[in-house]
Amino acid sequence: MRVMGVDPGLTRCGIGVIDAARIHRPALVAVDVIETPSVSAVDTRLGALADAFDRWLDAHRPDVVSIERVFARHNVSTIIGTAQASGLTMGLAARRGIPVAMHTPSEVKAAVTGSGRAGKAQVTNMVTRILRLNAPVKPADAADALALAICHLWRGAGAAGSTPGATKDVDTRQGGGRQGSSLTPAQQQWAEALKSAGTPRRR
């Protein structure tokens, strides 16, 4: 099971990929933060983000993309940019027929740390321990992206909210009926493994 986590943002978009041959032992594949200059036009920034995300999808070929669900905040301009980046990454994944899952910040924190109110430092610390890294993942956007991927591995592989089906060809999938009606073969195997192994223990 290969999961790409995305912490969406127009100025800074965290992106990370993990593999898990065993449920309790996910491993880091790649992580980075895609940045776009705030002085540039929004369409130019979204174009640059699309190009970078396309390269990541082509290079790492994930089984599923896990994206943070966007919530309204006090800073309207920030939330608009976050929503634009989120929709862009969802669309690019869907164009390849790659399933997309959405997870709230509290779900991610609870999955990784055991508390839905954990701070960024706690999330970073647990991501570092879970992936058995020699140093903390920085910046926070990168750690959050990996936490989203871990959350989906442990909690979301069998979720009904994942979209969509058993093929990575978007035209075939859309022609076959309602999106979200089935899981990819990798997701099906992972969901069965999760049921057999139970919830991973946090150390």
Side-chain angles (χ1 to χ4, degrees), residues 160-171:
S162 296
T163 63
T167 174
K168 289 191 178 183
D169 179 78
V170 68
D171 293 327

Side-chain angles (χ1 to χ4, degrees), residues 56-203:
W56 274 73
L57 291 174
D58 291 339
H60 299 291
R61 302 181 62 82
D63 294 298
V64 62
V65 176
S66 176
I67 305 175
E68 181 178 296
R69 189 180 299 278
V70 178
F71 283 95
R73 295 170 184 165
H74 297 297
N75 191 330
V76 176
S77 61
T78 298
I79 196 62
I80 289 175
T82 301
Q84 289 171 329
S86 177
L88 176 70
T89 53
M90 291 175 67
L92 292 173
R95 190 171 64 182
R96 290 168 169 75
I98 301 173
V100 173
M102 307 292 288
H103 297 285
T104 67
S106 60
E107 289 171 347
V108 175
K109 293 175 183 178
V112 174
T113 71
S115 171
R117 297 183 178 182
K120 287 188 175 294
Q122 290 174 280
V123 171
T124 296
N125 180 57
M126 287 307 301
V127 166
T128 303
R129 294 175 63 182
I130 290 167
L131 297 178
R132 305 177 306 283
L133 305 177
N134 294 327
V137 180
K138 295 181 180 179
D141 311 80
D144 288 346
L146 292 173
L148 277 153
I150 294 168
C151 173
H152 190 75
L153 278 176
W154 286 356
R155 293 196 171 190
S162 296
T163 63
T167 174
K168 289 191 178 183
D169 179 78
V170 68
D171 293 327
T172 302
R173 170 166 56 75
Q174 290 176 341
R178 179 179 62 85
Q179 293 189 10
S181 59
S182 59
L183 301 173
T184 65
Q187 284 183 307
Q188 290 172 344
Q189 294 176 8
W190 195 257
E192 292 170 1
L194 281 174
K195 290 179 181 178
S196 299
T199 303
R201 293 182 178 179
R202 283 170 292 276
R203 300 176 185 175

Side-chain angles (χ1 to χ4, degrees), residues 22-33:
R22 294 164 55 190
I23 290 175
H24 303 313
R25 305 279 287 184
L28 174 66
V29 176
V31 66
D32 202 356
V33 174

Side-chain angles (χ1 to χ4, degrees), residues 44-63:
T44 301
R45 299 172 71 187
L46 288 171
L49 180 58
D51 289 342
F53 192 62
D54 268 333
R55 289 194 294 271
W56 274 73
L57 291 174
D58 291 339
H60 299 291
R61 302 181 62 82
D63 294 298

